[in-house]
Amino acid sequence: MSQRRDTRGRWLPTDRLERAAADRVPWWDELVAAWARLSVVRLAALAGSAGLLLSTLFVLETVLNTVNTTLFTVETKLLFYLVVGVSLVAATVLARYVRPRVALGLGVGMLAIGLVWHTISLDTIPDPLALLASNVELLTGRRVTEIVKADIWGLGVAPAPTFLTWYLALRREYVTAAAVGGATLGYFVLTGDATGMVTLLGVTSGAALIGFGDLDNSEWGGGAPDYVAIVVALMVVTPLVVTIVPGGAASPVTFLGSESTTMEDNIVSADSDLEILGSVSQSASVRFTVESEQARYWRTGSFDRFTGDGWVRSGGESSYQSETLQEPPGETEYLLQEVDVESQLEALPAAWRPIEVSTSVADRIDVTQNGGLQVAGRIDSGESYQVLSAVTNPDAQTLIEAGTDYPEEITERYTQLPASTPDRVGEQTSELLESAETPYEAARITEQWLKENREYSLDVERPDGNIADAFLFEMEAGYCTYYATTMVTMLRTQGIPARLAVGYNAGEPTGDGEYVVRGLNSHAWVEVYFPDVGWVPFDPTPADPRQDVEQAAIENARASGSDSVDTEETAPADSGPGEIQTPSIPDAGPNESERPAAQVQNPGFTQVTDRDQIAASEAEEFNATFEQPVTQSAENTDDELDEAGSEGQPILPPREQLALGAIALIGAVAGLRQSSVGRRLSTAVRIRYQRRRDPATDIERAHERLFLLLERRHRPRRSGETHRQYLDAVGADPRARRIAELRERAHYADGVSKSAADEAVSLVESIRGDS
Amino acid sequence: MNVTRTSEITITRRGKVALVVIVLAVLMGWRFGSRSLNFVAAPTLAALVVGALHVRRSGKPTVEFSEVDAGFPGEQRTLSVTVTGSGIATVNLVLPRGASDGQTDDESVAAIDATVTLPHTFELQPTLENRGIYEIGPPTVRQRGALGLVERRVETTATTSLAVYPQRYGLARDGVVNRFFTDELETERQEFDRLREYTPEDPLRHIHWKSSAKHDEFLVMEFAPTQRTEVVTIAATATTGRADEMARASATIADVALAAGFEVELVVPDGVLPPGQGKLHRQSLLRLLAGTGSGSIPDSVTAESDVAIEAGADETSVRIADRAYGLSDVVTDDRRTPEMEGVA
């Protein structure tokens, strides 16, 4: 470095710059410079892009939380945070060096790689048409959580929008950033994965991104940012009071949970996801009649993935071809069922496991990944079909000896639990199943325990959070969905593959192997997997109270003269409803046909073995000890919450609601600033209060207060009018002139004394006191 | 008087996208289930409605420009644009090529590109750039909602004119031009008036050495003030694309002639300025030169003129009285320092 000095040896100014250049710390100086370049609107626009990003990431995080798997021995959630972090850093760095076109290419590449990775991870490579079809399904409301390997899908999809949105926002391409982020959020809204609040956070953040971005990209002046904040705040509030999308109340959950929902609608009509509701009603209308040698559960579907508040069936469907349907691995026998449909069905009830359907409906049938049959479209009343099932009737001994040598794909698919499942579920289940040596015993004990310790009721308030946890620890009553969900969860905590099955129970037998099935026969139960046997049904719902409820519903319907309650066979005798043959609702199970239906007590198994009795008694014994800890722990939780509250640690609402609250608050403040009320208020405050600092500032401030005061009493100072002219014009008194004089002296003469400042301040106070 | 009209409230392209989003959300909700679509549609609709109401309630704006003094290239001027009314407006103003906003060399960047709450006054400090007579404005003013979903265009005729004089050349060292005008002056210095004491303001060459030698102090000989009534006619022509050079050469010589006290008559393709002297005449002359284009004038006028300037395709020739020069012989390329009202 050349060192130039002038003749007296002083550094020349240019050299000072050079020395400064030599001394500078690159990253720190750049950071300081970058900070200096940030304006309020730039910060607000970036905050908007962050909000938009967060909303989509919240959705993906929820998906990963639900699937809750490990990849490469790491929790997928951690991998997800890593991927998102890396994308953000990459966007920040590349925003300085890479042109938008290149970045756009990178983003598209990332998405492509992610999707290809997901496709490869599937066992079968789907053809492009199927991929397109599945995307259409997603966009019309099929959940992302229903995707097979949703964890890999989420990880693969996350980086591209994260990278692009943040990159574009940093490049000041705010509108494009909003378009990318908005499209991503829109996708999740259409799939139904984005909750209302998360959506609202995303939409309003996107609006802020565009509004503040506009201001950042041009000069701005006046209160323009305030207006953006006001509009965004109004956007937050609007959907809470206005609903313009048909069929959608402000809160979809409460809407669906209203009285009008029947359990059947909820359970059987659910195509690929099942939401667990609060209170439901029952419909007594006859749905179909079955002619079958055995009374079975007429199953319409099953769900493998528990989301914490509902169920989804992952993977799509393939169209029905009889050769694709396999028989269960164990000993089976064929059961032919002939079904006459009495009112339109959107499902195909059949005993597990259906292997062939009659040609009358075959072209409408899809096969799900769980091996069940599903109707694409519907089966109209008056139609009939035949279905052949290969049913298993294993005895207890077979199941005890079945062991735990599960196929890997079964374990992977059917032991999933959402991350929202508290540890206490597993802990309590372990305690309950201490003596259980085999999965079969575990299943029986759990089934029995639930039957005996929870009341059956259709009128329940839907709990928040994890349904299984709530039913186990907080609720006293529930209906089949609650029982079955809880049992599956409990078994899964022990590593036993289980799933939720839905459909209808056997219905009302009318002799000759005919069963009349009504809407109220809709039911949910549990299927547990046993190696070399296949799926075996268990039903933790207590049978008697359920039958009472169902019978009451039928009688009510008959009393009200409904036609659809009965078929010719079941019509009540003239003697009145009291003499109706009680529908036995035989809980179908193995060996069902060997015993009279009315005697069936345990849905899973009727051959009560010694081991069964032991299991049952163990469950009872356990109750004595289990009941206690349950209530205690519930109380503990309450106490803990109370304590937390009293210690000043309020329980925070969800983070997206906090963010929305903040947006609304900022908007309110901005609105106040722009309204005349706000201006008057701030003027009043500025006139009233003065914080003393140094004499020069104090005098300046006193002068400002004087003029605010005078302008409020008389008229605003015109532009171009000097302070003196104004004082003359409004005929200000000597005190005001003295303040002006003190200020002039402070301005143009050297030195301001503290006494002068004191005098100015006290004069303003005395003028203010006049009014 | 400026005329300012506001057109109808329109939905911007962005607003149309928002509308499409709302319609899609409603259709998808109606057909496939509501999901969270209301949280998309309702806020977006709110933004549209609030924007439309805000624009509707905004006071209609007027636009007013300040006057800008004419000047030579390189000089800086202040220009204020006042937009009245209320609400939010996006204001765009592109300066003509005669001026730049001094912040960027890129001419396509607007001098004003701002979103402000009205009323607002923009203060610009444009630098004069290229010879010419320009109109600054009208600006485009669009009143808009905060998110730019709806807007109302404001049609305004408000403008202000700007004249940028031709940049004068520096004079060549050998002083061909000066000599022509000042030699004329020398010949008339003969009418002796009186001798007086030297003051520091006097040029040394005015000292009358003979008389000074006889006294103890320097003496200066004063001549009777000349009432110069002689007219210098400058006739200038230019082939296409050479008007700038013609104007610059003419301005340079006219300035010298005016400074020397002549009345100057100017004939250029776009106009004729009758002979005159003084500040106002100089301004009119420079203004005529600022606006003139290329072209020819009748040969007879050129023949009778004292100074004839002809900007040809390859070179510019200057004839002063009966002697012809190349432009490069009489001037240098240096810009003359922009002193404005020097001698006139």
Side-chain angles (χ1 to χ4, degrees):
Chain A
M1 193 183 84
S2 68
Q3 296 197 341
R4 261 171 297 151
R5 293 163 189 246
D6 68 5
T7 46
R8 289 186 210 167
R10 288 178 305 199
W11 289 98
L12 286 167
T14 48
D15 292 308
R16 267 218 297 283
L17 285 177
E18 279 175 30
R19 266 193 309 152
D23 289 345
R24 77 194 205 105
V25 186
W27 61 268
W28 175 253
D29 287 7
E30 273 162 26
L31 206 67
V32 171
W35 180 253
R37 277 197 303 272
L38 278 180
S39 61
V40 181
V41 289
R42 168 98 167 130
L43 272 178
L46 289 180
S49 75
L52 182 54
L53 261 183
L54 277 180
S55 70
T56 60
L57 294 179
F58 281 168
V59 174
L60 281 172
E61 191 195 19
T62 314
V63 170
L64 292 179
N65 259 339
T66 304
V67 182
N68 195 24
T69 54
T70 56
L71 263 180
F72 315 124
T73 71
V74 189
E75 260 187 74
T76 30
K77 204 161 69 166
L78 296 179
L79 276 179
F80 171 72
Y81 295 143
L82 185 73
V83 161
V84 168
V86 169
S87 307
L88 287 176
V89 170
T92 312
V93 173
L94 292 183
R96 302 195 51 176
Y97 304 109
V98 171
R99 279 174 303 129
R101 189 168 295 194
V102 180
L104 207 67
L106 273 175
V108 172
M110 281 181 205
L111 187 63
I113 291 172
L115 291 177
V116 166
W117 179 34
H118 175 246
T119 314
I120 290 173
S121 74
L122 300 175
D123 299 330
T124 53
I125 304 289
D127 63 287
L129 217 62
L131 278 179
L132 187 71
S134 69
N135 261 301
V136 169
E137 286 177 2
L138 282 167
L139 290 178
T140 50
R142 177 168 286 222
R143 299 287 202 94
V144 167
T145 32
E146 290 162 32
I147 298 176
V148 180
K149 307 260 187 195
D151 47 347
I152 294 182
W153 188 88
L155 277 181
V157 159
T162 311
F163 169 80
L164 272 182
T165 309
W166 190 239
Y167 167 90
L168 288 167
L170 287 178
R171 292 284 292 209
R172 295 194 148 84
E173 303 278 353
Y174 298 115
V175 177
T176 326
V180 172
T184 316
L185 178 63
Y187 191 86
F188 291 133
V189 171
L190 289 176
T191 61
D193 285 281
T195 63
M197 287 301 133
V198 166
T199 309
L200 189 56
L201 174 64
V203 168
T204 49
S205 297
L209 172 60
I210 291 177
F212 289 115
D214 271 0
L215 296 183
D216 185 46
N217 275 338
S218 63
E219 288 173 54
W220 59 272
D226 284 345
Y227 283 106
V228 176
I230 294 167
V231 172
V232 171
L234 284 174
M235 289 173 74
V236 171
V237 182
T238 311
L240 307 179
V241 287
V242 180
T243 304
I244 58 170
V245 173
S251 171
V253 172
T254 48
F255 170 75
L256 286 172
S258 66
E259 289 295 313
S260 64
T261 308
T262 65
M263 188 199 288
E264 187 187 16
D265 284 339
N266 177 218
I267 296 177
V268 180
S269 302
D271 40 346
S272 57
D273 61 343
L274 186 157
E275 189 174 14
I276 298 175
L277 306 178
S279 298
V280 290
S281 57
Q282 292 280 42
S283 157
S285 303
V286 173
R287 290 291 177 248
F288 56 92
T289 58
V290 188
E291 207 171 297
S292 163
E293 282 180 12
Q294 294 181 20
R296 286 270 167 178
Y297 277 7
W298 316 119
R299 190 179 173 287
T300 57
S302 66
F303 298 90
D304 55 290
R305 192 169 282 169
F306 181 43
T307 64
D309 56 3
W311 285 88
V312 294
R313 178 162 53 241
S314 66
E317 299 85 30
S318 49
S319 54
Y320 165 78
Q321 288 159 320
S322 58
E323 58 267 30
T324 56
L325 295 173
Q326 294 162 352
E327 291 183 26
E331 201 178 303
T332 62
E333 57 180 279
Y334 292 127
L335 178 68
L336 183 70
Q337 303 133 72
E338 198 159 342
V339 180
D340 294 324
V341 180
E342 302 286 342
S343 68
Q344 181 184 312
L345 283 179
E346 291 181 355
L348 188 91
W352 181 255
R353 170 176 191 174
I355 53 171
E356 203 168 338
V357 294
S358 59
T359 47
S360 61
V361 290
D363 54 338
R364 274 173 279 175
I365 300 298
D366 288 333
V367 182
T368 68
Q369 297 249 327
N370 288 1
L373 298 182
Q374 188 171 303
V375 179
R378 55 180 191 271
I379 303 176
D380 287 320
S381 64
E383 284 194 83
S384 59
Y385 64 88
Q386 290 177 323
V387 56
L388 183 68
S389 301
V391 299
T392 52
N393 296 304
D395 56 23
Q397 201 56 38
T398 315
L399 297 178
I400 288 165
E401 288 162 4
T404 56
D405 190 13
Y406 303 114
E408 197 187 320
E409 64 268 21
I410 294 286
T411 319
E412 193 184 319
R413 193 174 167 89
Y414 297 107
T415 56
Q416 165 271 351
L417 280 175
S420 66
T421 317
D423 291 341
R424 59 179 181 175
V425 176
E427 285 158 13
Q428 295 286 25
T429 311
S430 301
E431 209 173 316
L432 173 68
L433 298 177
E434 214 170 3
S435 63
E437 286 163 16
T438 63
Y440 170 67
E441 283 170 350
R444 289 308 308 275
I445 293 170
T446 316
E447 180 188 43
Q448 198 64 31
W449 186 85
L450 282 170
K451 249 186 228 272
E452 289 170 6
N453 289 286
R454 289 294 176 273
E455 297 296 321
Y456 184 86
S457 167
L458 290 178
D459 185 21
V460 295
E461 197 175 312
R462 185 185 178 282
D464 294 325
N466 190 290
I467 298 288
D469 179 61
F471 193 62
L472 202 49
F473 290 98
E474 282 150 31
M475 299 168 73
E476 284 168 0
Y479 49 90
C480 56
T481 324
Y482 287 87
Y483 283 95
T485 299
T486 309
M487 179 166 166
V488 174
T489 302
M490 290 170 79
L491 291 180
R492 284 184 175 185
T493 62
Q494 306 304 307
I496 302 170
R499 66 187 184 188
L500 182 86
V502 296
Y504 299 86
N505 59 31
E508 182 182 356
T510 54
D512 297 341
E514 257 198 33
Y515 300 88
V516 172
V517 182
R518 297 180 171 83
L520 50 77
N521 290 118
S522 59
H523 191 42
W525 61 97
V526 177
E527 289 180 341
V528 181
Y529 189 86
F530 292 90
D532 300 325
V533 177
W535 293 101
V536 175
F538 287 81
D539 192 345
T541 313
D544 293 342
R546 196 191 78 226
Q547 287 166 16
D548 293 346
V549 170
E550 287 169 4
Q551 187 56 30
I554 296 175
E555 278 160 25
N556 269 340
R558 279 182 182 147
S560 66
S562 172
D563 288 341
S564 59
V565 184
D566 295 296
T567 63
E568 283 162 22
E569 285 83 7
T570 65
D574 292 337
S575 49
E579 287 182 35
I580 304 162
Q581 183 196 0
T582 308
S584 64
I585 321 289
D587 291 318
N591 304 339
E592 172 71 40
S593 54
E594 290 171 19
R595 298 167 145 260
Q599 289 179 11
V600 176
Q601 287 295 318
N602 294 325
F605 298 91
T606 45
Q607 286 181 329
V608 181
T609 61
D610 289 347
R611 274 202 168 268
D612 279 336
Q613 280 167 341
I614 293 165
S617 63
E618 271 171 359
E620 263 165 52
E621 242 171 68
F622 185 80
N623 289 336
T625 53
F626 194 44
E627 202 80 12
Q628 208 66 14
V630 170
T631 35
Q632 257 180 9
S633 77
E635 276 166 16
N636 281 346
T637 330
D638 285 349
D639 286 349
E640 275 161 23
L641 292 183
D642 287 347
E643 274 172 33
S646 64
E647 279 168 20
Q649 290 179 311
I651 302 132
L652 292 175
R655 50 204 170 169
E656 60 268 18
Q657 287 181 24
L658 280 178
L660 287 169
I663 293 174
L665 193 69
I666 291 170
V669 171
L672 204 62
R673 265 165 54 114
Q674 288 304 316
S675 70
S676 55
V677 179
R679 266 198 298 273
R680 248 175 284 155
L681 202 68
S682 88
T683 307
V685 170
R686 272 160 64 209
I687 288 175
R688 189 169 293 263
Y689 300 104
Q690 173 160 16
R691 195 160 57 103
R692 300 296 296 270
R693 290 162 77 178
D694 54 284
T697 320
D698 288 347
I699 290 184
E700 191 59 43
R701 186 72 181 84
H703 186 258
E704 185 198 349
R705 290 172 68 196
L706 169 70
F707 270 79
L708 287 171
L709 200 59
L710 291 177
E711 287 184 344
R712 197 168 66 170
R713 286 190 194 158
H714 303 283
R715 60 164 175 81
R717 190 160 62 96
R718 299 189 183 107
S719 64
E721 192 177 26
T722 65
H723 288 109
R724 260 176 198 282
Q725 284 167 346
Y726 179 77
L727 289 181
D728 289 342
V730 300
D733 70 11
R735 288 170 303 175
R737 289 172 194 282
R738 172 71 184 149
I739 293 173
E741 188 191 335
L742 283 171
R743 172 170 173 268
E744 269 168 30
R745 221 181 273 171
H747 257 237
Y748 303 112
D750 289 338
V752 192
S753 67
K754 187 166 184 315
S755 62
D758 289 344
E759 187 189 350
V761 173
S762 67
L763 280 173
V764 169
E765 290 296 339
S766 80
I767 294 174
R768 189 167 71 84
D770 285 351
S771 51
Chain B
M1 185 62 205
N2 303 319
V3 181
T4 306
R5 277 189 312 118
T6 49
S7 52
E8 291 299 302
I9 296 176
T10 54
I11 294 180
T12 61
R13 205 174 56 153
R14 198 185 284 173
K16 283 173 190 157
V17 173
L19 263 184
V20 168
V21 166
I22 294 171
V23 170
L24 271 182
V26 171
L27 282 180
M28 291 295 274
W30 170 65
R31 185 70 187 78
F32 301 110
S34 69
R35 290 161 277 182
S36 298
L37 286 165
N38 191 51
F39 290 89
V40 177
T44 314
L45 185 68
L48 268 171
V49 170
V50 169
L53 286 178
H54 188 205
V55 172
R56 223 175 93 104
R57 291 201 48 192
S58 296
K60 301 198 171 178
T62 62
V63 182
E64 210 162 286
F65 278 94
S66 66
E67 296 280 327
V68 183
D69 292 332
F72 291 98
E75 291 177 351
Q76 206 171 50
R77 290 287 178 271
T78 56
L79 165 67
S80 65
V81 185
T82 305
V83 186
T84 63
S86 65
I88 306 177
T90 299
V91 181
N92 278 87
L93 176 68
V94 182
L95 288 180
R97 54 184 286 278
S100 70
D101 65 356
Q103 287 164 9
T104 164
D105 294 334
D106 190 354
E107 279 182 23
S108 62
V109 174
I112 301 178
D113 173 14
T115 305
V116 294
T117 46
L118 300 181
H120 192 90
T121 300
F122 298 94
E123 299 286 355
L124 299 181
Q125 297 217 308
T127 305
L128 307 184
E129 291 285 344
N130 298 300
R131 181 188 73 96
I133 291 179
Y134 305 96
E135 198 157 74
I136 299 181
T140 55
V141 179
R142 296 188 312 261
Q143 289 184 298
R144 44 171 266 164
L147 299 186
L149 303 178
V150 283
E151 66 177 23
R152 183 165 65 185
R153 286 187 158 273
V154 179
E155 311 285 344
T156 175
T157 57
T159 55
T160 190
S161 82
L162 169 70
V164 182
Y165 300 151
Q167 182 72 279
R168 290 160 301 170
Y169 290 108
L171 295 175
R173 267 170 197 276
D174 58 357
V176 176
V177 180
N178 262 335
R179 210 162 49 232
F180 173 71
F181 296 104
T182 47
D183 279 356
E184 293 282 312
L185 191 69
E186 292 298 333
T187 57
E188 289 173 31
R189 286 177 76 182
Q190 304 309 319
E191 292 165 40
F192 175 76
D193 184 28
R194 63 178 178 119
L195 276 173
R196 64 166 172 85
E197 207 170 313
Y198 169 81
T199 60
E201 286 97 58
D202 294 316
L204 278 176
R205 62 191 171 89
H206 287 184
I207 294 176
H208 198 259
W209 299 105
K210 265 187 190 169
S211 317
S212 301
K214 295 172 190 164
H215 297 78
D216 287 343
E217 56 201 355
F218 291 123
L219 293 174
V220 173
M221 188 181 276
E222 281 220 330
F223 301 93
T226 46
Q227 282 300 314
R228 198 187 296 280
T229 52
E230 281 163 281
V231 172
V232 171
T233 306
I234 301 173
T237 59
T239 54
T240 313
R242 309 289 291 170
D244 263 355
E245 194 146 295
M246 172 194 77
R248 291 186 64 184
S250 306
T252 310
I253 291 171
D255 222 23
V256 175
L258 285 170
F262 289 97
E263 290 201 344
V264 176
E265 180 183 22
L266 178 68
V267 184
V268 289
D270 280 10
V272 175
L273 185 74
Q277 245 292 351
K279 192 173 167 180
L280 282 176
H281 183 71
R282 183 171 177 269
Q283 282 177 4
S284 325
L285 184 141
L286 288 170
R287 200 177 169 84
L288 176 60
L289 285 174
T292 190
S294 56
S296 57
I297 55 175
D299 284 346
S300 55
V301 177
T302 313
E304 284 170 17
S305 65
D306 301 299
V307 179
I309 295 165
E310 194 178 336
D314 300 326
E315 58 159 16
T316 304
S317 65
V318 179
R319 178 179 61 74
I320 302 177
D322 51 355
R323 300 180 68 174
Y325 307 89
L327 181 64
S328 51
D329 296 333
V330 294
V331 299
T332 66
D333 240 349
D334 303 337
R335 281 183 165 199
R336 243 180 90 170
T337 44
E339 29 75 53
M340 252 294 276
E341 313 300 347
V343 206

